[in-house]
Amino acid sequence: MNLNQLFDLSFQDRRQEVALEFGGGTFTFGEIDDRSNRMAALFQARGLEKGDRLCVYLSNCVELIDIYLACVKLGVIFVPINILYREREILHILGDSDPKAVISTQEMPGDVPLWPVSELRTPAQAPRPTVALDGDSPAALVYTSGTTGASKGAILTHNNFAVNAINLNACWSVSSSDRFLLALPLFHVHALGNGLHCWLLSGCRMRLLERFEHQKAAGEFLDFRPTLFFGVPTVYVRLLDFAPEVAREVGGFMRLFVSGSAPLPPQVFEEFHARFGHTILERYGMTETLMNLSNPYVGERRPGTVGVPLPGISVRIVDGELQLRGPNVCAGYWRREDATRSAFEEGWFKTGDIAECAPDGYYTLLGRKSDLIISGGFNIYPREIEEFLLEQTEVAEAAVVGVPDKLRGEIPVAYIVPRAPIEPSALDQRCREKLASFKIPREFVVVDKLPRTALGKIQKHLLPKPGN
């Protein structure tokens, strides 16, 4: 069975029911199905075939959903690109995935054919394409940075997405009666793998926002009156700004708040419960595996933990590192056999996360084996920023670390050993031109030297604290 057959639980059985709200408009499940059929016909006319890659650089919109579903129906591999990425990062993904085209609303770097959204003129009607697909067919190629700074494409199959959504809908009691507010970006697996698929399999009504805007958040909640919401810790910090009476009203009609993509600070967990009357459900996933563990919907949602393994997923701890296996694990990295081999040990996927397990089975994440920084739900790998800084003629050495931040969890700070007189503001400007906004160091600290071991490895924990 593939995703198309599962989506028919909504496309066929709930064809006349309202499926989606976006930008003031509404769409039934039948209309969503028809729109993606027409998009698939356009893609076929332009020569896209099963196994081809199609890159997409778009903010949340109905067209993005049409494009994804058309790809799923054709067996075309969907490749989302983070809209915060800049030329350097975009060119790497375009070069690595080797797509037939890239869809965007703006000019794109490189020589890959550009299909502007405004020019995607679909036929008035089209039948569903008939393409032979199974559960092991690739559905998406989602790029995730590695500790070396080289971005790798995780191959996510129909089975990966299907098992993930079935697990979440069952374990979180998601049903057609839910009203789902989704404000997370669809280029990220949090919204794509969890949000989009849980919606389509459950048949609930979803309101999609182009982005999360904290100034408008209270109004969106009060107008749509959702029962289900997925967020990252940064979003929940913003929701704490709701007036007490608004928080109480929202808490009255909400059923479930879920948090992921970064650890939820315990104080946010506690303040949210006091203000909204809800205990946030925290879970743990990765780009390469989608969701792995979750606190229970019915039962204790324990602060600071990520709960227990989801059905069908096996977990073990080896030398402190959490490893797992199951139908949620990706098929490997795109054209990176070396990286794929190194990511697995006897069939177990090595997450790189350090964890411990309580006697009753609840897991707690203790940190990364690598230097990963998680800022506002986005993964930042210091090596990538360090390599860019070392390309600057004034920089002799560079080290990037994460420092605690109340809003974003962590923020990157760069330590620079200069080769020539250096102006931090100039470095900041160059980073803004070449790197996504969330990767830009919030401070550039000039030092005489970086602390190193006898073998030359930088000892980041010995770097002076910013401001000292």
Side-chain angles (χ1 to χ4, degrees), residues 51-342:
D52 288 340
R53 277 76 59 207
L54 179 64
C55 285
V56 179
Y57 185 83
L58 291 173
S59 300
N60 286 358
C61 58
V62 181
E63 290 79 7
L64 198 159
I65 295 174
D66 298 337
I67 293 164
Y68 174 70
L69 292 175
C71 287
V72 168
K73 291 176 177 181
L74 290 172
V76 170
I77 302 174
F78 179 80
V79 187
I81 302 176
N82 188 325
I83 60 168
L84 298 179
Y85 279 178
R86 297 297 176 255
E87 180 176 351
R88 177 188 183 94
E89 301 145 316
I90 295 170
L91 284 173
H92 171 72
I93 293 176
L94 295 179
D96 190 70
S97 63
D98 189 24
K100 284 290 185 72
V102 57
I103 297 177
S104 182
T105 58
Q106 56 191 275
E107 290 297 318
M108 298 294 288
D111 55 7
V112 175
L114 173 65
W115 295 353
V117 173
S118 60
E119 296 179 12
L120 296 179
R121 298 185 178 89
T122 62
Q125 56 185 2
R128 178 177 297 185
T130 54
V131 179
L133 300 169
D134 61 28
D136 292 325
S137 298
L141 191 59
V142 184
Y143 278 79
T144 177
S145 298
T147 55
T148 62
S151 187
K152 302 186 293 293
I155 305 168
L156 296 172
T157 67
H158 282 243
N159 276 341
N160 294 150
F161 283 123
V163 166
N164 185 70
I166 291 169
N167 266 349
L168 300 188
N169 282 356
C171 293
W172 297 347
S173 200
V174 182
S175 72
S176 59
S177 62
D178 273 308
R179 296 174 63 83
F180 178 31
L181 180 62
L182 183 61
L184 298 170
L186 287 168
F187 60 72
H188 194 284
V189 291
H190 192 156
L192 178 69
N194 299 349
L196 203 69
H197 292 81
C198 286
W199 161 55
L200 289 173
L201 265 67
S202 70
C204 67
R205 182 169 179 153
M206 180 174 78
R207 176 178 287 189
L208 178 69
L209 305 181
E210 182 177 355
R211 67 180 66 86
F212 177 80
E213 298 177 88
H214 71 273
Q215 301 93 336
K216 300 179 181 179
E220 294 286 359
F221 271 92
L222 294 174
D223 179 62
F224 183 59
R225 303 183 75 80
T227 61
L228 180 65
F229 182 77
F230 294 171
V232 298
T234 303
V235 167
Y236 286 110
V237 171
R238 293 297 193 185
L239 296 188
L240 290 174
D241 291 336
F242 283 11
E245 63 275 13
V246 172
R248 284 195 298 272
E249 183 174 353
V250 169
F253 54 71
M254 276 293 299
R255 180 179 68 82
L256 179 63
F257 291 94
V258 180
S259 181
S261 296
L264 185 70
Q267 66 270 26
V268 175
F269 190 96
E270 294 165 5
E271 289 178 31
F272 196 89
H273 182 269
R275 185 173 289 260
F276 286 83
H278 279 262
T279 301
I280 297 172
L281 186 152
E282 193 167 9
R283 86 300 182 279
Y284 161 61
M286 301 180 70
T287 300
E288 295 96 330
T289 64
L290 302 174
M291 295 302 101
N292 305 314
L293 299 97
S294 173
N295 273 273
Y297 176 64
V298 177
E300 181 189 3
R301 301 177 195 171
R302 190 175 301 172
T305 78
V306 290
V308 299
L310 289 164
I313 300 171
S314 300
V315 177
R316 71 179 187 181
I317 295 177
V318 178
D319 296 330
E321 180 186 29
L322 189 147
Q323 300 181 1
L324 52 92
R325 65 182 180 189
N328 60 312
V329 180
C330 72
Y333 294 109
W334 180 254
R335 295 176 176 173
R336 292 289 301 275
E337 292 183 9
D338 57 336
T340 299
R341 284 194 300 270
S342 66

Side-chain angles (χ1 to χ4, degrees), residues 421-450:
I422 195 166
E423 182 58 51
S425 61
L427 282 181
D428 178 83
Q429 182 59 38
R430 290 178 215 169
C431 288
R432 291 183 183 279
E433 293 171 355
K434 298 295 184 180
L435 300 174
S437 59
F438 61 85
K439 297 179 183 177
I440 299 166
R442 298 307 190 266
E443 187 175 349
F444 294 83
V445 181
V446 178
V447 295
D448 294 329
K449 63 179 181 180
L450 300 177

